[in-house]
Amino acid sequence: MSVELDVQRFYTRLRKLHGSFRKHNNNWGGAKSLCLQRSSLNDDEPYLRSVVLQQWLFGYELPDTILLITEDGNVWICATKKKCEFLKPAVDQDEDFKIHLLLRSKEDSNEANYDTLVKQATSRTSDSNKIGVIVKERANNKANGGIVGPFEERLDTNVEEKLIELVDIAPALALVMGQKDDSERDLMKKSSVLSNKVMKHGFVKRLEEIIEDEKTITHEALATEIEQILEDPNKIKLNVPTSDVQSCYFPIIQSGGNYDIRVSALSSSEKLTPDIITVSLGARYKLYCSNIARTFLVDPPKKVSEMYEILLEVQEACLEQMRAGNQLKSVYKAAVSHLQKNGHEDLIPKLPKNLGFSQGLDFRDSTLTLSAKNGVTFKKGMTFCLSIGFQDLELSSSDLSNTPDNSAVKKLKKYSLLISDMVSISDTSADVMTKMGKAITDVAYNVNDEDGDGDDDDDDDDEEEEEEDDDEDAKLARKLSREPANANGERRSTRLAKDNGALAEASEGTAERERRQIQLMVRRNEDRLREIARESMKNRGKKDEEDLAEELETYKNTKEYPSNVQPNQVKVDMANQCILLPVFGNPVPFHISTIKNVVLPDPDNATLLRINFYTAGMAVGKDAPANMAKLVQKYAPYASFIREMTFRSLDGHNLVQAFRQISELRKRARARELREMEEATLVAQEKLVRTKNERVPRLSDLTMRPVFAGKKTQGNLEAHSNGLRFISTRSEVVDIMYNNIKYAIFQPCENEIMVLVHFHLKNPIMIGKKKHMDVQFFTEVVDASQAVDNGRRSMYDPDEMDDEQRERQLRKRLNQAFKDFCKKVDAVAKKNKYHLEFDIPYRDLGFTGTPSKEMVTVLPTLNCLVNLTETPFFVVDLDYVDHVHFERVTYMSKAFDMILINKDFNKMPWRIDMIPNGDKEGIQEWLTDMEITYTEGPMNLNWKSILATAKEDDRFYMNTEDDEVTEKEAGWEILRMYGKDEEEDEGEDEDDSEFGEESVAEEEEEESVDDDDDIDEEAFDSEEESDFDADEELEEQGMDWDEMEMQAAQEDKRKRRMDVAQEQEPAPRA
């Protein structure tokens, strides 16, 4: 089969199931065995209890399979051959359970298997022969036949003969699967985020388009569009494999006065009306379900807004009760109690019968519903869909008196309100996993407000007549304030007149990008906290193992000493890597790694040999063996160390020879340690399987980088069954396995001198004596250097034109050859069930910079930022980039530097220097599209110190200090050029400095940062909180013509002052 059984997970969950079966047998109806059979496939019923159980236990559906679990830990499974092969890895892997596989037998119609199962199901230790089954599914099992159908009939026969008794265990199964482990909670969060994103970026945007453009669409058609987004999240630029996602149900969209807030409701074929719109949708990620519902209010009357606020209050009251230890029915009681306390008893009948249900692999668990009578207790790890609404609320004509006449709400007589969120249960509180905003400001739209607010009461007519003159004066003042200050109509800035539209568009784009960056920063901080937590859990205990020092041992006893050891001579044992030194006439061995250095002073009357050792109390040095440094640290508190030993001899021959041997042995030991460190991270590669009996894709006359032994390496590249093989002209071989290729890049030749394929590896491989993460194969189109004669050649020279034509043809031919080879490699890898896809750099997003020693063109790809034409290769995997910072961003500088911070703070950031200022906007736009945060500043920073500080701060990505109250800047927000204090004082200080004027775009960036300081830091896994406030503020930031004229005039004035300053003194260095 194409999937494999996760044996560890299978036994973990089997142990959980069996433990509950034995400890809480009353919940299982007193059954002595569990018979959990599943009939044939039925796509119309994906949430059957048996289906969900198999997905939970095996991670895969096994239709037409019988599963029998006994009290003593025996597990009997009757299935077809393929299913038995799938389950075979679990046999004899756990001493607490015994797995028995019964292969389907067509010869006797499984009669022998049925006899065995019934015999094992019958208790041998008690008079009770109760067997736990899923009663609700038995009729369907009988009708479908197969292996399960006849077995169900056999059980019925035994029941009639009173040999056994069947009890329903569906509720007990729900309780076991309802409490989820860490991996399940993680999948539930991701599923909730998916639902949240589809609602926010799919439905809301589409709804706004429909309302804005006054389009006509039916509920059913709109629901179909949303379902397509659920099936393919790439439509909203969410990079999730389509094979992992699906819709839980057909989205429910309702408006126009006909509402049903039950989860079983359907979207009608009636037209969507812009009034009170309810929408419910559910996403399924890797089989785990989630649900979200919102109500959107278009031109809401005051009464509707008040009812919605009450609904939010009820939800908050319910959330307070959703914590471990409380009963499920306390949620419903909390809702009723809140309505009673606040005088809204009339709304109690409008509540649904239950306020939600447990979710997981099953969309709606009927056992764990938030009803008024459910006595089950909340436990940590449970996840629920909390769904609260008011059904069929009435609207009177007086309620609609202030509603605009052209609003669709005017026609409503009844309406409903609904809010659903995913909630995870913890010890102290309930964690809401669907973070989309639901405040009245997030869901209300005022579309038809032309009528104004001045006609509310007829009693005010007299007062309006008295104030009419004042109103006219106010209107005149407002009109005059909008007129330009210069009466002749000339613009004050010729620069603004040239391209005012482009300036406005750039300002709008910058503001939008800054808004997205603020949201990204919040999400990335949350993501990093989760990544760090998972990594610390994963590496728990490994650090202690790495810190353990290996004890040194040269000889087990003195009998192993070399035979030619003399009592008063220095002897070097090259084989055992030790030096035997005479101490009081006795040879004492010292391991070579204990020696720090050895000195042989110039001989005088006698020869001296001084040997220095690694000791505590002084720096061991960076060249010290790692194990020796650990040993010194280990024994420093209580051991005495020998710092140095000096030997003197009148005959210096032996000491000179010992000096040379010790130096050589230290050199060998150091080289061996470096080699071991080099090879420590190497992963054993599988052996290449050469393709036989078919044509092998091949590229000839290629040059490989890096090279063997410092020489140019040329040869052929071949694609085989499980990898690529390069064979050089000197018979050197390099194998690159498909499963070790992380990114494959094909860069055609356009403006470069070469066409190439580049492989960025998951694990390094050895080429020569060094390990490498990047391997490249290329062919030069033209020589990198050409001889140029002294004579000038005409542009119409026939020879010159022929050379250019041949070069173009060669370029085109080589590009096509490499492209065809990449396609063939893709096909070979796919044929052998490997995933390999070649990426092509985006040239239109490229920019120039200096990542190493020379100016090159840096190109983004789908997953990397690369320069592949020059060595050393510059390849930055975007998965490892935590944040990007732009240095030297000032008015005076013509270029800036780009710092890409690694998620591993032990590694220094990547940097690209001297990037032209004209490329900054494009780079920032690309980073935002890739969901990578960035900041900018005017100076170069000490990254070694910054990373050391960030590494030591456990709350670096949190927005509060250790007391969890004092606020601070979270994560890389500390690098923002303008903080809160500077923004508040900017209006006062901008005239004091000639560098204080800010551009329109930068003012909008600062305002967007200031206005979004309160964004919720609790969003999960790439999900942001409500952005309505940010959007609203950004919309209000657009300047009218007069404000832009004034801004441009101030910038012109500032520029003139800067020009004068430059003439008076040298300009600062860029």
Side-chain angles (χ1 to χ4, degrees), residues 265-283:
L266 297 175
S267 297
S268 69
S269 58
E270 297 178 359
K271 293 181 181 179
L272 178 76
T273 56
D275 43 35
I276 310 299
I277 303 168
T278 62
V279 57
S280 301
L281 59 88

Side-chain angles (χ1 to χ4, degrees), residues 76 85 209 274 452 489 513 612 706 716 737 782 816 835 875 936 1068:
W76 297 80
E85 290 176 354
E209 289 176 5
R513 187 170 64 247
N612 297 316
N716 301 330
M737 301 296 107
V782 293
Q816 189 61 42
H835 178 70
V875 180
E936 57 184 48

Side-chain angles (χ1 to χ4, degrees), residues 309-325:
E309 294 288 355
I310 294 172
L311 183 65
L312 293 179
E313 293 174 3
V314 172
Q315 188 193 40
E316 287 298 324
C318 293
L319 286 172
E320 291 180 1
Q321 295 298 319
M322 298 182 71
R323 61 186 66 186

Side-chain angles (χ1 to χ4, degrees), residues 687-732:
K687 188 176 181 181
L688 184 80
V689 179
R690 302 193 66 176
T691 302
K692 299 179 180 180
N693 302 325
E694 60 180 275
R695 190 166 183 174
V696 177
R698 180 182 288 107
L699 270 180
S700 303
D701 300 327
L702 299 179
T703 302
M704 186 185 78
R705 293 191 294 190
V707 298
F708 277 102
K711 298 179 181 179
K712 190 173 183 179
T713 306
Q714 292 182 311
N716 301 330
L717 182 63
E718 301 174 346
H720 292 278
S721 299
N722 64 336
L724 298 155
R725 168 164 287 184
F726 177 79
I727 305 176
S728 73
T729 53
R730 297 189 294 270
S731 300
E732 297 159 325

Side-chain angles (χ1 to χ4, degrees), residues 827-1056:
V828 171
K830 188 174 182 180
K831 180 181 178 181
N832 291 280
K833 299 181 181 180
Y834 292 98
H835 178 70
L836 180 65
E837 184 176 351
F838 282 86
D839 193 10
I840 299 178
Y842 304 117
R843 292 187 179 275
D844 55 336
L845 298 177
F847 57 91
T848 58
T850 310
S852 183
K853 295 181 180 179
E854 59 181 313
M855 184 75 72
V856 297
T857 300
V858 181
L859 302 173
T861 68
L862 186 62
N863 303 292
C864 304
L865 189 65
V866 301
N867 170 259
L868 305 176
T869 55
E870 304 297 333
T871 54
F873 303 130
F874 181 73
V875 180
V876 178
D877 188 346
L878 298 182
D879 288 343
Y880 298 147
V881 175
D882 188 23
H883 179 76
V884 175
H885 183 69
F886 298 100
E887 295 181 336
R888 298 193 302 116
V889 179
T890 65
Y891 289 111
M892 301 298 296
S893 177
K894 295 182 180 179
F896 62 93
D897 303 333
M898 180 177 174
I899 312 299
L900 300 104
I901 303 173
N902 199 314
K903 290 182 179 179
D904 185 356
F905 292 161
N906 293 315
K907 299 179 180 178
M908 289 299 291
W910 300 277
R911 64 181 301 127
I912 307 173
D913 298 331
M914 297 303 295
I915 304 173
N917 279 344
D919 292 326
K920 189 177 74 167
E921 291 289 327
I923 295 173
Q924 291 180 346
E925 188 67 33
W926 170 72
L927 289 172
T928 305
D929 291 340
M930 298 301 294
E931 296 195 341
I932 298 175
T933 57
Y934 66 82
T935 51
E936 57 184 48
M939 64 185 71
N940 295 104
L941 302 177
N942 185 348
W943 288 105
K944 186 175 181 180
S945 174
I946 292 173
L947 295 178
T949 303
K951 182 181 177 182
E952 294 172 359
D953 187 1
D954 294 335
R955 303 182 64 84
F956 179 71
Y957 290 101
M958 300 182 187
N959 64 344
T960 57
E961 300 289 355
D962 292 336
D963 58 4
E964 298 186 357
V965 176
T966 306
E967 293 187 358
K968 70 176 184 68
E969 293 174 314
W972 297 112
E973 289 179 353
I974 59 175
L975 300 180
R976 288 197 181 277
M977 185 188 297
Y978 304 107
K980 300 178 192 175
D981 298 335
E982 288 85 347
E983 291 175 20
E984 294 172 357
D985 299 334
E986 182 187 347
E988 301 175 4
D989 299 340
E990 62 181 2
D991 293 330
D992 297 338
S993 170
E994 63 179 4
F995 302 105
E997 288 287 329
E998 300 299 328
S999 66
V1000 176
E1002 289 171 334
E1003 285 183 351
E1004 292 181 345
E1005 289 175 5
E1006 292 173 7
E1007 291 175 10
S1008 65
V1009 173
D1010 186 61
D1011 292 330
D1012 283 274
D1013 281 340
D1014 294 329
I1015 291 179
D1016 189 2
E1017 296 286 336
E1018 299 297 327
F1020 166 77
D1021 195 13
S1022 75
E1023 178 51 27
E1024 64 270 25
E1025 277 289 275
S1026 165
D1027 59 354
F1028 181 83
D1029 292 338
D1031 289 341
E1032 186 178 36
E1033 292 298 325
L1034 289 172
E1035 289 169 3
E1036 293 176 356
Q1037 289 171 1
M1039 297 185 293
D1040 61 18
W1041 179 267
D1042 304 293
E1043 291 172 332
M1044 287 190 290
E1045 290 276 6
M1046 185 178 297
Q1047 180 70 31
Q1050 291 175 352
E1051 288 191 17
D1052 290 341
K1053 184 178 179 181
R1054 178 190 58 78
K1055 185 177 180 182
R1056 288 195 295 272

Side-chain angles (χ1 to χ4, degrees), residues 506-556:
S507 299
E508 183 180 353
T510 303
E512 172 65 17
R513 187 170 64 247
E514 187 64 23
R515 180 184 68 81
R516 292 174 61 188
Q517 277 291 318
I518 293 170
Q519 297 170 351
L520 273 175
M521 187 73 77
V522 176
R523 287 165 42 194
R524 296 277 290 195
N525 288 342
E526 291 294 327
D527 293 346
R528 289 293 292 138
L529 285 173
R530 280 186 290 274
E531 290 175 10
I532 293 171
R534 285 195 292 265
E535 188 175 348
S536 62
M537 289 289 292
K538 183 178 179 181
N539 296 331
R540 184 177 294 176
K542 290 186 178 180
K543 186 175 181 181
D544 296 337
E545 295 177 4
E546 293 175 357
D547 291 340
L548 293 177
E550 182 182 353
E551 298 295 337
L552 301 177
E553 183 180 80
T554 53
Y555 306 104
K556 294 183 178 179

Side-chain angles (χ1 to χ4, degrees), residues 254-257 259 273-278 295-301 304 395 409 412 414-417:
Q254 302 173 97
S255 67
Y259 301 94
T273 56
D275 43 35
I276 310 299
I277 303 168
T278 62
T295 302
F296 297 94
L297 315 175
V298 183
D299 297 329
V304 174
L395 277 175
V409 182
L412 282 182
K414 290 184 178 181
Y415 69 97
S416 297
L417 301 175

